[in-house]
Amino acid sequence: MLRGQYPNLRCLCYAPPGGLFSDRLATRCRSFVTTYVLNTDLVPRISTQTVERLRDEVLQTIARIKVPKQLVFQIHRGGKKLSELPFGLKDLLHDADAIPDSTFKSQLNRFEERQRERQQHTSEIPLHPPGKFIHLVKTMSSREQRAFHQGIFNCFTCDRFVAQDKYAPRYAAMSDFDDILVSSTLISDHMVETVEQAFMFAAEAFGVDPSEPPHSMPAECSAVNAD
């Protein structure tokens, strides 16, 4: 909105919502907007399409599972490794095209049919975060083994950043954030202190002292701030 009045204006977005700009608008602002995303942060990946896709994948997994769901949670919560499970992965899920009939499967089929009918009568515009993207990817974690054991349960306890976590920045494409990644840090990666620590590590890795004061604010930014 301020681009016409302040043509030299630059915008830095830290973990903005995913369902924000259309394809066209998100792409057009690449020259003056940079979006930063930390690791598996949930918020920049949230949109109607990604939430619905995750919902469909979860429901399909529930329909495909062979063993009692309570047993899966008990084993998962107990911190067992895949090699320690009393069954293999092939014994855990039915093939997607060979799901046996069940009450849940019938209900899921009706639900999916209604969703297809709804999509035929609605026009949904895919929405994305804006600009060009810099993705801070975790390269090392001292808690990898613990996070693997606790898995999705950490999502609800906000598994936090620890000092030994290391991150590397990389340029990313808009499509890299078209799916929600279920991880033990999908919530904590959005926390202010986690983002701050990750940026400090990345800055130090590139020889930048994060304790130094920032450069002076450009005149056009000062004018915007004053308004």
Side-chain angles (χ1 to χ4, degrees), residues 2 14-15 55 77 86 89 98-99 102 118 120 124 144 146 172 182 192 214 222 224:
L2 297 173
Y14 297 92
R55 174 204 63 195
R77 188 55 173 166
L89 289 178
I99 302 176
S102 67
R118 178 184 63 83
Q120 290 176 357
E124 296 181 351
E144 285 180 353
R146 176 169 61 87
V182 178
V192 174
S222 299
V224 173

Side-chain angles (χ1 to χ4, degrees), residues 21-205:
F21 286 2
S22 66
D23 286 341
R24 181 182 178 186
L25 186 56
T27 302
R28 286 187 64 182
C29 65
R30 283 177 56 87
S31 62
F32 59 93
V33 175
T34 301
T35 287
Y36 294 87
V37 178
L38 177 61
N39 205 38
T40 60
D41 188 352
L42 170 67
V43 175
R45 294 176 167 87
I46 287 182
S47 68
T48 301
Q49 290 77 23
T50 59
V51 171
E52 288 184 347
R53 189 155 51 245
L54 178 61
R55 174 204 63 195
D56 294 341
E57 290 175 358
V58 170
L59 293 175
Q60 277 290 329
T61 301
I62 293 174
R64 292 175 58 191
I65 196 165
K66 295 181 180 181
V67 301
K69 301 168 187 62
Q70 181 181 5
L71 176 61
V72 175
F73 275 88
Q74 287 176 347
I75 294 174
H76 190 59
R77 188 55 173 166
K80 290 185 177 294
K81 300 179 182 179
L82 291 176
S83 59
E84 299 173 337
L85 295 178
F87 42 77
L89 289 178
K90 292 184 178 180
D91 300 320
L92 181 61
L93 296 175
H94 294 285
D95 292 335
D97 57 353
I99 302 176
D101 293 332
S102 67
T103 301
F104 180 82
K105 182 63 168 59
S106 299
Q107 294 172 341
L108 180 58
N109 288 340
R110 289 196 297 270
F111 173 78
E112 291 176 340
E113 179 61 29
R114 291 173 183 172
Q115 292 304 307
R116 286 191 290 269
E117 293 175 357
R118 178 184 63 83
Q119 292 171 359
Q120 290 176 357
H121 296 88
T122 59
S123 178
E124 296 181 351
I125 300 176
L127 299 176
H128 311 275
K132 60 183 177 183
F133 299 90
I134 295 181
H135 188 198
L136 276 77
V137 182
K138 184 184 295 184
T139 57
M140 190 183 77
S141 174
S142 63
R143 65 182 174 196
E144 285 180 353
Q145 194 64 29
R146 176 169 61 87
F148 174 77
H149 285 168
Q150 294 180 350
I152 196 171
F153 293 96
N154 289 341
C155 299
F156 304 102
T157 57
C158 293
D159 197 18
R160 296 301 184 96
F161 172 92
V162 293
Q164 291 78 13
D165 288 349
K166 296 183 179 180
Y167 297 85
R170 70 175 185 93
Y171 284 110
M174 185 167 59
S175 59
D176 290 343
F177 307 101
D178 282 349
D179 288 291
I180 294 173
L181 303 181
V182 178
S183 78
S184 63
T185 60
L186 84 170
I187 294 176
S188 62
D189 281 339
H190 191 70
M191 302 297 180
V192 174
E193 63 271 23
T194 310
V195 176
E196 179 187 14
Q197 291 295 325
F199 270 99
M200 289 180 66
F201 173 84
E204 292 172 353

Side-chain angles (χ1 to χ4, degrees), residues 6 217-227:
Y6 304 101
M217 185 180 297
E220 60 270 22
C221 295
S222 299
V224 173
N225 202 32
D227 292 343

